[in-house]
Amino acid sequence: MPEGDTVHKIANALRPPLEAAPLASLWLRDRGDLASFTGAVVEEISALGKHLLIALGPRHVLHVHLGMHGKWFRNRPGEANARADRSAVLRIETEADRFTCARAPVAELLRRADLAAHPVLARLGPDLLAPGFDASRAVVRARRCDARSIADLLLDQRAACGIGNVYKSEVLFAEGIDPWTPPARIDAARLAAVYARARTLMQGNLGGWRRTTVRPVRSGDAWPLGLPRLFVYGRAGEACLRCGARIASRLQGDAARTTYWCPRCQPAGSPASIDVSASSTASPRPHRGAR
Ligand SMILES: [Zn+2]
């Protein structure tokens, strides 16, 4: 599932072949061939949470969000790839490569001047994987969110961006927090620690290996037979790697995303220390809307 770490890895992989290379062609499903971009140069490729931004020339930017099922494919120009072509939404060709983005729910061409007013991009919180990420800034923004639970808050990209459904469950397990705890019951220092933990877990997965939170792996290591790669995500009914209790799962939040947790390591109401001042210092202007 593409989360912030995946999108940063994609940006890292696209940079060498695309940055500074003049485009041979650009095609978008809803716009067709964009002949005016032939010869345009990719100036910068960046990840912002789960969003990929490809700056084209001085005035435009391609914005891609992979959603749950989007994927990138790399081929030579003119080379057939039935899987990529069947559901392509964006195609970028240079003299040496053809990159196809398929099944992404968002692939749009924007003017750079319009980014500051974009309904989603302009409202994103700090990127958890950005250099100099400041967890206290995320906490201030989190206090303005209207999430009912800490799990829903972690998915709210307006507080901090990059966490998806996998890291949501893994971070809360790592921190020993009940996913249903209301955010206002978690004090600022603890909430900052939650975001810092998310950053650390995601940073650990920027290499070429498959995503894991169970232990750091180096490229080339053989994974021990039978050892799960994640502590709780996707492991409903299996034994907790820490305490042996059965991992639970349930749909949560307005978007009904599945949450996985260990009822013994993350007991109801945890963390136990409750900071009542957290709710009284919340901003008077909550922001609402789509995540
Ligand atoms: Zn446990």
Side-chain angles (χ1 to χ4, degrees), residues 49-68:
K50 293 184 266 183
H51 303 261
L52 182 75
L53 299 171
I54 301 173
L56 285 180
R59 282 189 292 279
H60 292 86
V61 61
L62 286 163
H63 168 219
V64 176
H65 191 295
L66 293 175
M68 305 263 274

Side-chain angles (χ1 to χ4, degrees), residues 144-210:
R144 297 208 298 264
C145 293
D146 54 354
R148 278 178 294 185
S149 66
I150 178 65
D152 284 341
L153 176 62
L154 293 187
L155 291 181
D156 194 324
Q157 307 295 301
R158 297 166 302 180
C161 67
I163 299 176
N165 215 35
V166 176
Y167 281 111
K168 173 192 83 175
S169 291
E170 293 298 310
V171 167
L172 293 177
F173 174 81
E175 286 291 312
I177 295 176
D178 171 16
W180 273 264
T181 297
R185 291 177 60 170
I186 299 172
D187 67 37
R190 192 70 196 274
L191 193 52
V194 170
Y195 284 115
R197 173 81 74 166
R199 175 174 164 85
T200 303
L201 291 181
M202 292 167 77
Q203 281 177 326
N205 283 305
L206 289 176
W209 47 81
R210 275 176 58 198

